[in-house]
Amino acid sequence: MLKRVAKVKRERHVRQGLALALAMALTGCSGGGSGGGAGSSAASSVTTPAPIAATDAARFLTQATFGPTDSDVSAVQAQGYASWISTQTAMAPSTPTHLSFVNTRLTALKAANPNASLSANEFEESFWSAAATAPDQLRQRMKLALSEIFVVSLQEPGIDVAGAASYYDMLGTDAFGNFRTILQDVTLHPMMGVYMTYVSNQPDNLATGLHPDQNYAREVMQLMTVGLWQLNMDGSQKLDSAGNPIPTYGQTDVTGLAEVFTGLSWYSPTPTTSTFFGKNKDPNATTTPMIAYPSYHSTLAKSFLGATIPASATPDPTGDLKIALDTLFNHPNTAPFISKQLIQRFVTSNPSPAYIQRVATVFANDGSGVRGNMAAVINAVLTDSEARTAGGATYGKVREPVVRMANWMRIFGAQSASGNWLLGLTNSNTSLNQATLYASSVFNFWRPGYSPPNTQMGAQNLVAPEFQAVDEVAVAGYANTLLGAVNSGIGGGADISSTYATESGLASDANALTNRVNQMLLYGQMSSGLNQDIVNAVNSIAIPGGTATQAQISAAQLNRAKLAIYMTMVSPEFLVQR
Amino acid sequence: MTSSAADRRQFLRLGAAFAGLGAAGPFAMQLAAMGSAAAQSAPNYKALVCIFLLGGNDANNMVLATDSDSWGRYWSARNTGADPIALMPVGTAAIAPGQTSSVTGRVATAATPEAWGGVLPIVPSTPNPVPPGTNATTRTFGLHPFFGPVQSLFNSGRLAIMANVGTLIQPTSKAQYVAKSASLPVNLYSHNDQQSEWQAGAAEGARLGWGGRMADLMMSSNGANSLFTAVSPAGNAVFLSGQNVVQYQITTATNPAVMFNSIGGSSLFGSTSAPALIKTLLQDSASQANLMAADYATVDTRSIGAAGAINTALTAGAAGSMAAPPIFTNPITGATQTNGLALQMRSIARMVAAAPGLGVQRQVFFASLGSFDTHQNENQSQPVLLAQVAQALSYFDTLLSNVGGADLRSQVTAFTASEFNRTFTTNGSGTDHAWGSHHLVLGGAVRGKTIYGQYPTLGIDLGGFNNPNMSGNAIIPTTSVDQYAATLGAWFGVGQSDLNTIFPNLANFSPNNLGFV
């Protein structure tokens, strides 16, 4: 049985806590928690924050985790937002890793069938296991968010499951480190090399016109660092004197940068031409960073984004890569480009320019002169006033389908009978229309700039990225998948299910039950109309009296709980997190 | 299936798209009565079917120039690298894996062009003009070796080829492109933006596609059933979105619409009132304080409102008895697999068959096939994709030839589209993003067996050669997507003035009707 544990590393906690405290001090927040009662009696310059209501804690956890639990809510109320965040960012990545999870599964599968091999399903199981139970919830959410920017997909035949699992682990390990490290580790990961087709990428052959593969050069700029248009720190496009947006790069930048991504290929302890082309692979090649093969690295001059690497007599793959990644990392666009997307993944689809600017400013400088401090950035995203206080009619975001399912697992304490969280691929539009590390292309399940046609949001020129996965089939698919899960569990053999102990215990009182689902699923914001509907529906299920057995009573209470949960989770107001 | 009074009121509340389906009696019975007679009584019916090849199809390997000058430059650009992607010359016999090719001297595997045989010759009924820069006096052409069904359709006269079409603002010469002195579409070479340019004439963020906008103009001829004007078995596509026309999503299953399980039964979790309560709350857009929630509820509403009608319509009569696609055998691996594009074509053909019974005169459809972004290992993937396209087109043609006894092929025009072509030279085993491309148009009304537009001069600028049709590795289009689309629109029934509105840059080009349909 694979159980999630957290290992706290002391030194790192102190280091990160220090950086965070500094950042907090500069932004004027008090470093401590709240809880109830009187604050510090001494310094009059420090404001004691008001106690955090359970509903606000639940709302915060909806943004920062895969779903609030009672103990999470209490923890946030006791510690305060900043302290909870710093505890989370300091926590070491939980175990088992996705790689060890899938390897353990493979061993079990082979015990039954010696010819068994891993499929994407086992990776998905590792995802649900962590989402539902891991204590480092913020890191789990960050992994998902990063995997939607630095996209790699198991839909691609060349992506192997162990490799994908190690890729996701890498995003987790780096989640609260520095963005420059993320960029380096992503670029050198063999699964990105395969997905963006630059593994074994060769330099130009000037005689035939053979040119290096340009795929990663383009997409690392377009999707993962600087984007298409020059940006101000508030995310708005810079305009030229004619009022037109200014491109960040052109085709020559792509071809120039493509020269850098040559000569990278599979790890081997004894690299040869053969291993460069993917033969005689080391058994760990798909989970080990790629290495440079200097003889296949371009020595031509390379120009991109204003940087020029002169032609050289000897190939310098490491040096060229450093210049390229430094250039991308330090480009002024990267701060707003990445900050806005993180806000979109955690809080709201249409952040105000001021919100973007506040977060981008922290990306650019965490307060100690460090650029790219991801712990500081996520703190900025989640503690910002625009995150803590809900906005108006166009504020918020559609909950991602996998997050909705994980919400159900986590909030209602779902258990896996096998311990292996046997829920595989959910990408079908009759399922959830999304599965982690299973996007259709490097453009993710949805574009950050997607503005849904024929909608009120679209009519206001607003974006709603997750709406790209919403259509007449997917809405019914979600509702039906949810119904099955709520009713009897989900996954192979209904492996993952909940007994709804708390909710059943309240079910004899329809108002208490409805208040409970309101608190946990909607952080107290359920509309009175939905509230009344649920109360009425629940009351229509009679709790038998008289000579009824306990079993009959319990069955009725359980039905009431299921109905209240289902009605809430299928309601339009649940579908949008605000 | 009967529509309850409440359902009908719900339909009406949502405006024209949901007005009652005109049924006095049970809907299914009404359809059955119409059947094949209905198919024949809709001579004004027309449908456009966009088949989008997602990722940027390497059309350089789909429609080829086989005159010796063109072929020589093609060969030197592509018969190189770790896994050469050059196809074999016309007339080359396929050889078995393990044999040595007399053309290349290499040992064939199933995934090398040597094993596939030479490109398939096609002879256009009118010679395609010879462009400057080639030495040929006439041009000859061929198709990918796995395009046998397309060769047959071409020869039958029902399939035309559109040469060198791409996104353009104005006619653009090589000099203008290099000097950046012509207005160019935004973000050439960017997947999402060019997909949007092809479908909507604007970069990502566009919310109106030209298919939807054409359908807007035709909506009145769909009477009360405009709900079924724009249908996709392939996912959200801006191509289908109009001001009033909203795309409707279906699956490729026997019952293409998905019903909500929680609202159809007499009780849920022991509550007899729950199904109706849930049905209402799902569709409650008006009460939502949040616009995204309101928009989500609207999608619920469309889903619930039409699912039953779609399933009834598509399982009745000719729509319900369409032959399944033939088995698809992967030409590289020999394994049988599903041809997802063929399944989509069947769903579309079923909608076409059901349209007369629904009183729908004009429809636009969107189908797609993915994975054309062949940066590497092109030999292993593109041939399989092209074989699926060929089978799907042939199957669609066959289905429409007999819909309840009626030949509907002249009423449906399908056309391929893709965000761009790919680089003329290889990066070793694949290709990168480029621009001007070649596409296919299929239908009974198509003036086929012809190559429209100007097939370009081929070859990159190497060794003193200066190709007026290429810059770097990209072909500069000589026909714009606007012209391609406007030609389809004119056939569909859109007037010139409306075409100029939908395609504001159309006036920059001549002719604005290419004449292929």
Side-chain angles (χ1 to χ4, degrees):
Chain A
M1 175 128 165
L2 295 166
K3 200 179 144 199
R4 293 267 154 197
V5 294
K7 294 188 287 197
V8 179
K9 289 203 179 136
R10 210 178 166 79
E11 277 174 8
R12 191 163 157 190
H13 173 89
V14 169
R15 250 186 295 128
Q16 286 189 340
L18 215 49
L20 206 50
L22 214 49
M24 300 305 297
L26 284 170
T27 55
C29 302
S30 82
S34 59
S40 152
S41 56
S44 55
S45 59
V46 175
T47 323
T48 307
I52 297 174
T55 49
D56 289 334
R59 180 171 170 273
F60 169 82
L61 290 164
T62 301
Q63 295 170 337
T65 71
F66 278 106
T69 63
D70 290 316
S71 58
D72 287 343
V73 168
S74 303
V76 169
Q77 288 181 294
Q79 298 170 32
Y81 302 124
S83 182
W84 185 90
I85 292 170
S86 68
T87 305
Q88 284 279 308
T89 57
M91 217 183 266
S94 63
T95 55
T97 61
H98 293 271
L99 181 58
S100 68
F101 185 108
V102 302
N103 283 336
T104 303
R105 292 287 292 121
L106 180 60
T107 304
L109 290 169
K110 279 187 160 158
N113 167 14
N115 294 324
S117 60
L118 286 171
S119 73
N121 289 320
E122 283 77 50
F123 171 75
E124 301 302 329
E125 292 165 9
S126 77
F127 167 76
W128 295 113
S129 169
T133 67
D136 57 343
Q137 280 287 300
L138 184 58
R139 188 183 299 275
Q140 300 302 326
R141 280 296 300 267
M142 191 58 133
K143 279 154 65 174
L144 181 64
L146 291 172
S147 77
E148 298 192 29
I149 298 171
F150 298 99
V151 179
V152 151
S153 175
L154 280 156
Q155 281 212 38
E156 174 63 40
I159 299 291
D160 98 341
V161 180
S166 86
Y167 181 82
Y168 207 65
D169 284 330
M170 175 272 295
L171 293 179
T173 305
D174 289 356
F176 302 125
N178 196 287
F179 186 83
R180 176 64 176 80
T181 308
I182 297 174
L183 193 52
Q184 176 98 6
D185 289 348
V186 163
T187 301
L188 290 180
H189 200 288
M191 292 302 98
M192 184 56 87
V194 169
Y195 196 56
M196 284 289 98
T197 59
Y198 58 101
V199 66
S200 323
N201 198 10
Q202 295 171 74
D204 300 75
N205 179 329
L206 299 175
T208 61
L210 184 149
H211 62 273
D213 186 311
Q214 297 167 9
N215 199 4
Y216 189 58
R218 179 185 306 282
E219 309 304 355
V220 75
M221 287 195 286
Q222 182 168 346
L223 306 175
M224 306 176 193
T225 52
V226 300
L228 287 165
W229 303 107
Q230 293 191 22
L231 302 174
N232 298 304
M233 284 292 272
D234 67 0
S236 60
Q237 291 175 344
K238 291 189 172 173
L239 302 176
D240 65 17
S241 52
N244 297 318
I246 309 164
T248 329
Y249 62 87
Q251 182 57 31
T252 50
D253 297 289
V254 173
T255 39
L257 189 56
E259 303 287 343
V260 175
F261 300 125
T262 53
L264 287 170
S265 191
W266 302 99
Y267 163 77
S268 166
T270 52
T272 60
T273 297
S274 195
T275 61
F276 178 77
F277 286 107
K279 314 262 190 305
N280 304 324
K281 271 209 190 95
D282 183 271
N284 294 320
T286 65
T287 57
T288 308
M290 292 190 286
I291 58 173
Y293 289 70
S295 60
Y296 286 100
H297 183 72
S298 167
T299 53
L300 297 178
K302 308 165 185 73
S303 283
F304 46 86
L305 297 176
T308 302
I309 303 174
S312 56
T314 55
D316 182 11
T318 309
D320 289 355
L321 187 67
K322 177 175 181 348
I323 292 172
L325 299 187
D326 283 347
T327 304
L328 294 171
F329 174 63
N330 289 314
H331 192 290
N333 258 37
T334 305
F337 186 74
I338 295 295
S339 297
K340 181 175 180 180
Q341 288 192 66
L342 289 175
I343 296 171
Q344 288 182 315
R345 295 281 72 73
F346 286 88
V347 179
T348 181
S349 300
N350 297 278
S352 69
Y355 184 13
I356 298 170
Q357 176 137 3
R358 290 191 289 268
V359 178
T361 302
V362 171
F363 184 104
N365 184 335
D366 68 353
S368 328
V370 175
R371 179 179 178 79
N373 179 341
M374 297 301 282
V377 170
I378 194 59
N379 177 79
V381 169
L382 291 171
T383 58
D384 194 276
S385 55
E386 196 161 314
R388 298 304 4 103
T389 307
T394 58
Y395 174 88
K397 61 187 290 294
V398 174
R399 294 187 205 226
E400 299 189 38
V402 299
V403 175
R404 303 174 212 161
M405 179 57 65
N407 286 163
W408 169 76
M409 289 181 186
R410 196 163 164 73
I411 292 172
F412 302 109
Q415 299 292 311
S416 162
S418 67
N420 293 321
W421 297 84
L422 297 173
L423 178 55
L425 285 171
T426 52
N427 59 299
S428 162
N429 60 0
T430 53
S431 175
L432 296 178
N433 212 21
Q434 181 193 13
T436 307
L437 285 193
Y438 211 78
S440 298
S441 81
V442 72
F443 284 78
N444 193 36
F445 313 105
W446 36 71
R447 303 299 317 127
Y450 181 76
S451 186
N454 311 110
T455 58
Q456 297 186 63
M457 288 295 282
Q460 294 197 24
N461 287 323
L462 297 172
V463 303
E466 291 84 356
F467 238 93
Q468 199 168 333
V470 174
D471 59 53
E472 292 81 9
V473 172
V475 296
Y478 161 68
N480 294 343
T481 303
L482 175 71
L483 183 61
V486 168
N487 185 34
S488 51
I490 196 166
D495 182 60
I496 304 165
S497 64
S498 172
T499 58
Y500 311 111
T502 307
E503 292 71 32
S504 294
L506 298 168
S508 298
D509 176 347
N511 284 304
L513 172 58
T514 307
N515 289 342
R516 169 71 184 170
V517 297
N518 184 5
Q519 157 67 17
M520 302 314 283
L521 289 166
L522 291 175
Y523 32 89
Q525 291 189 11
M526 186 182 284
S527 68
S528 55
L530 180 62
N531 197 313
Q532 196 57 58
D533 279 348
I534 295 175
V535 166
N536 290 345
V538 162
N539 278 329
S540 77
I541 301 169
I543 310 268
T547 54
T549 63
Q550 183 55 52
Q552 288 169 322
I553 295 168
S554 297
Q557 289 169 330
L558 184 60
N559 270 339
R560 285 183 162 208
K562 290 178 178 177
L563 183 57
I565 291 165
Y566 181 75
M567 286 178 73
T568 307
M569 291 191 73
V570 86
S571 69
E573 50 197 271
F574 172 77
L575 266 308
V576 176
Q577 162 198 315
R578 57 200 169 93
Chain B
M1 164 187 168
T2 52
S3 288
S4 71
D7 286 352
R8 223 173 283 123
R9 277 200 293 281
Q10 176 77 350
F11 269 47
L12 288 166
R13 245 204 308 279
L14 296 157
F18 292 96
L21 297 169
F27 185 66
M29 283 170 57
Q30 187 187 27
L31 275 187
M34 293 181 106
S36 63
Q40 287 164 357
S41 69
N44 293 323
Y45 173 84
K46 282 183 177 170
L48 279 175
V49 181
C50 176
I51 300 174
F52 208 97
L53 312 179
L54 295 168
N57 175 40
D58 182 20
N60 303 313
N61 264 12
M62 185 174 83
V63 181
L64 302 92
T66 53
D67 58 277
S68 62
D69 184 80
S70 304
W71 189 263
R73 297 188 190 282
Y74 168 87
W75 192 254
S76 69
R78 294 190 152 205
N79 183 40
T80 184
D83 185 9
I85 58 174
L87 299 170
M88 296 298 110
V90 172
T92 313
I95 63 174
Q99 287 190 347
T100 304
S101 163
S102 55
V103 175
T104 64
R106 291 188 293 265
V107 176
T109 73
T112 58
E114 289 88 338
W116 310 335
V119 296
L120 305 173
I122 50 168
V123 183
S125 52
T126 27
N128 197 256
V130 179
T134 72
N135 296 329
T137 46
T138 55
R139 268 318 216 6
T140 55
F141 299 95
L143 298 174
H144 191 281
F146 295 155
F147 249 28
V150 176
Q151 184 192 37
S152 301
L153 290 168
F154 184 84
N155 289 336
S156 78
R158 290 191 301 283
L159 185 141
I161 291 170
M162 181 73 250
N164 198 12
V165 57
T167 56
L168 287 169
I169 306 275
Q170 60 185 95
T172 303
S173 69
K174 178 175 185 172
Q176 289 173 311
Y177 176 69
V178 172
K180 299 182 172 49
S181 58
S183 291
L184 293 173
V186 210
N187 300 327
L188 289 173
Y189 315 113
S190 159
H191 283 291
N192 52 332
D193 293 295
Q194 289 304 300
Q195 286 181 8
S196 188
E197 289 277 354
W198 264 83
Q199 297 181 32
E204 174 187 270
R207 286 186 300 276
L208 292 175
W210 55 267
R213 295 187 70 184
M214 288 183 182
D216 277 339
L217 298 165
M218 304 278 130
M219 253 173 105
S220 56
S221 52
N222 288 349
N225 298 326
S226 51
L227 170 66
F228 304 117
T229 303
V231 177
S232 170
N236 277 332
V238 69
F239 172 71
L240 293 178
S241 294
Q243 309 266 24
N244 299 304
V245 167
V246 180
Q247 79 158 64
Y248 194 90
Q249 183 76 23
I250 59 174
T251 69
T252 54
T254 304
N255 283 297
V258 181
M259 314 282 286
F260 281 74
N261 292 338
S262 51
I263 63 178
S266 53
S267 76
L268 188 69
F269 296 122
S271 161
T272 52
S273 57
L277 279 171
I278 293 170
K279 187 171 182 180
T280 302
L281 77 88
L282 284 168
Q283 303 180 72
D284 186 6
S285 173
S287 304
Q288 300 305 321
N290 181 285
L291 283 195
M292 275 176 278
D295 286 332
Y296 195 98
T298 302
V299 180
D300 280 343
T301 305
R302 281 203 302 271
S303 177
I304 293 168
I310 292 234
N311 287 343
T312 300
L314 263 62
T315 48
S321 53
M322 291 212 164
I327 308 268
F328 178 76
T329 304
N330 183 317
I332 307 278
T333 66
T336 57
Q337 63 186 64
T338 308
N339 182 345
L341 184 61
L343 289 179
Q344 293 174 48
M345 303 320 289
R346 180 172 60 165
S347 296
I348 291 171
R350 293 168 72 195
M351 286 283 334
V352 170
L358 296 167
V360 175
Q361 300 268 6
R362 288 289 184 277
Q363 286 182 301
V364 286
F365 297 97
F366 184 86
S368 72
L369 188 59
S371 304
F372 281 91
D373 191 26
T374 49
H375 284 277
Q376 265 200 4
N377 303 321
E378 184 164 313
N379 284 340
Q380 288 168 36
S381 51
Q382 196 212 21
V384 181
L385 296 170
L386 290 180
Q388 291 179 293
V389 171
Q391 186 195 58
L393 289 174
S394 175
Y395 167 66
F396 192 56
D397 179 75
T398 302
L399 281 182
L400 293 178
S401 69
N402 184 349
V403 178
D407 183 345
L408 300 185
R409 288 178 296 186
S410 62
Q411 297 177 263
V412 180
T413 301
F415 62 96
T416 64
S418 192
E419 56 260 49
F420 33 66
N421 196 351
R422 304 192 74 82
T423 52
F424 194 70
T425 64
T426 172
N427 61 34
S429 73
T431 48
D432 296 281
H433 305 175
W435 193 7
S437 193
H438 316 304
H439 283 288
L440 313 172
V441 189
L442 172 71
V446 172
R447 302 182 188 101
K449 200 171 189 292
T450 307
I451 298 177
Y452 292 83
Q454 171 67 73
Y455 197 94
T457 301
L458 296 181
I460 57 166
D461 294 348
L462 210 54
F465 183 57
N466 186 341
N467 184 342
N469 287 146
M470 283 184 64
S471 176
N473 242 312
I475 303 173
I476 301 168
T478 44
T479 297
S480 72
V481 175
D482 290 353
Q483 292 169 284
Y484 183 53
T487 306
L488 293 161
W491 168 79
F492 194 60
V494 181
Q496 187 59 51
S497 154
D498 287 324
L499 287 172
N500 287 332
T501 304
I502 296 173
F503 304 106
N505 297 319
L506 184 62
N508 298 339
F509 300 96
S510 178
N512 48 43
N513 190 318
L514 301 167
F516 54 74
V517 69

